[in-house]
Amino acid sequence: MRLSWTAFTELLRCTLRGHLRNRLALVLAVAFIPIWIFVALLCTSDQVVRIRLDAISTPVFAPASQAGQVASALGAITMVAGFIAFTETFQSREVDRRLLLAGYPRLPMLLAKLAAVALTAALLGLYTTILLWISLPVRHAVPLALALAGAGLVYGGIGLLLGSLVRGELEGFFLIIMLSLVDTGLQNPVFNTLMDVAGVSALPLYGVNQLALSSALTSQSAWSHGLLSLTWSAATGALALLVLHTHRPSRASWSRRTRVRTG
């Protein structure tokens, strides 16, 4: 038990240090999110639109600029959180193989990565909530922050899974960006006010999108829908654990790769 806890804390520290060394990710987190929210403010009008939210029985009427900023904030968080988790996981795969060969337990390794994703999502959610609080008359800040953090948690888990699966960085970036664009685009109330596309409730951001829009624009909060993000995060984490468990690096293959690189 002591060894597992020591392995967890040490790997968590190394993972967080890897995030801090990723300067591009830090720039995206600090600059991209407010820029994307500001772009939504500039590109949408103040015309009131009718929004259908499954979580609320009554229709919602809100300025398009406000709804667009909330949707853009969700989109920005998904890209940043997915990018951070994917980059760290992909770049640390060789180190992870060495640790596994050295006898480090697999479960604490994944739990450390999941904990790092959760901390990153929480910080991104808090930062984005402050930005929206400055820009919008936010009705309920706490559930909005939980919704934004949930979006980061979902796509952080997706980035973690892709970082364990794909062979190239470009493939992972493309998958994260395309999935985020499709997910947020179909649920953007400015472009799709009815949000009645078939299967939209199965998308990763459906629950947090309902919670974010209801919290920011109405007097109600769809707390139960926000829990869907935990389901998606648990699913991606379980899949990442399965990938890590089934991948058993051999010392012979590691030695061959090392001789090739040094030779």
Side-chain angles (χ1 to χ4, degrees):
M1 181 68 180
R2 180 175 298 177
L3 176 60
S4 297
W5 175 252
T6 302
F8 170 79
T9 56
E10 183 63 22
L11 290 170
L12 177 60
R13 183 182 64 84
C14 293
T15 302
L16 293 176
R17 288 182 61 184
H19 289 339
L20 293 176
R21 287 195 300 266
N22 191 342
R23 296 182 180 180
L24 178 58
L26 292 177
V27 171
L28 287 176
V30 174
F32 176 71
I33 295 177
I35 290 175
W36 203 237
I37 294 175
F38 183 67
V39 168
L41 176 62
L42 290 180
C43 295
T44 52
S45 66
D46 290 330
Q47 179 181 357
V48 176
V49 295
R50 182 180 183 272
I51 305 172
R52 173 190 169 187
L53 294 178
D54 295 336
I56 300 177
S57 57
T58 58
V60 177
F61 296 90
S65 59
Q66 296 183 8
Q69 289 178 71
V70 176
S72 295
L74 283 171
I77 277 190
T78 58
M79 290 188 186
V80 173
F83 172 77
I84 291 175
F86 170 78
T87 302
E88 193 282 329
T89 304
F90 184 85
Q91 294 179 351
S92 65
R93 287 197 296 194
E94 293 297 330
V95 176
D96 292 342
R97 290 190 183 99
R98 296 182 185 181
L99 292 175
L100 290 175
L101 289 172
Y104 266 74
R106 296 170 181 268
L107 184 58
M109 179 180 294
L110 178 64
L111 292 179
K113 293 182 180 295
L114 290 175
V117 167
L119 289 174
T120 302
L123 291 175
L124 290 174
L126 178 60
Y127 175 58
T128 309
T129 302
I130 294 174
L131 294 174
L132 289 176
W133 181 270
I134 296 173
S135 181
L136 297 176
V138 174
R139 301 289 186 89
H140 305 284
V142 174
L144 176 61
L146 293 176
L148 294 170
L153 192 62
V154 169
Y155 272 79
I158 292 174
L160 178 62
L161 178 60
L162 290 176
S164 304
L165 288 176
V166 301
R167 295 185 177 182
E169 284 188 283
L170 184 59
E171 301 168 21
F173 294 155
F174 178 80
L175 289 173
I176 291 173
I177 292 173
M178 291 306 299
L179 181 58
S180 175
L181 289 176
V182 172
D183 198 352
T184 56
L186 291 177
Q187 301 186 75
N188 191 326
V190 177
F191 303 134
N192 183 18
T193 56
L194 295 179
M195 290 192 283
D196 56 353
V197 179
V200 69
S201 59
L203 294 176
L205 288 184
Y206 172 75
V208 294
N209 185 69
Q210 297 281 315
L211 178 57
L213 289 173
S214 62
S215 300
L217 305 177
T218 73
S219 58
Q220 305 178 53
S221 296
W223 290 98
S224 59
H225 282 69
L227 297 177
L228 293 176
S229 63
L230 298 179
T231 303
W232 269 96
S233 301
T236 53
L239 289 174
L241 176 60
L242 179 62
V243 171
L244 186 62
H245 178 71
T246 55
H247 176 73
R248 297 181 180 276
S250 64
R251 296 182 181 274
S253 61
W254 171 258
S255 300
R256 284 196 298 269
R257 286 194 299 268
T258 304
R259 285 198 298 267
V260 169
R261 292 181 180 179
T262 56

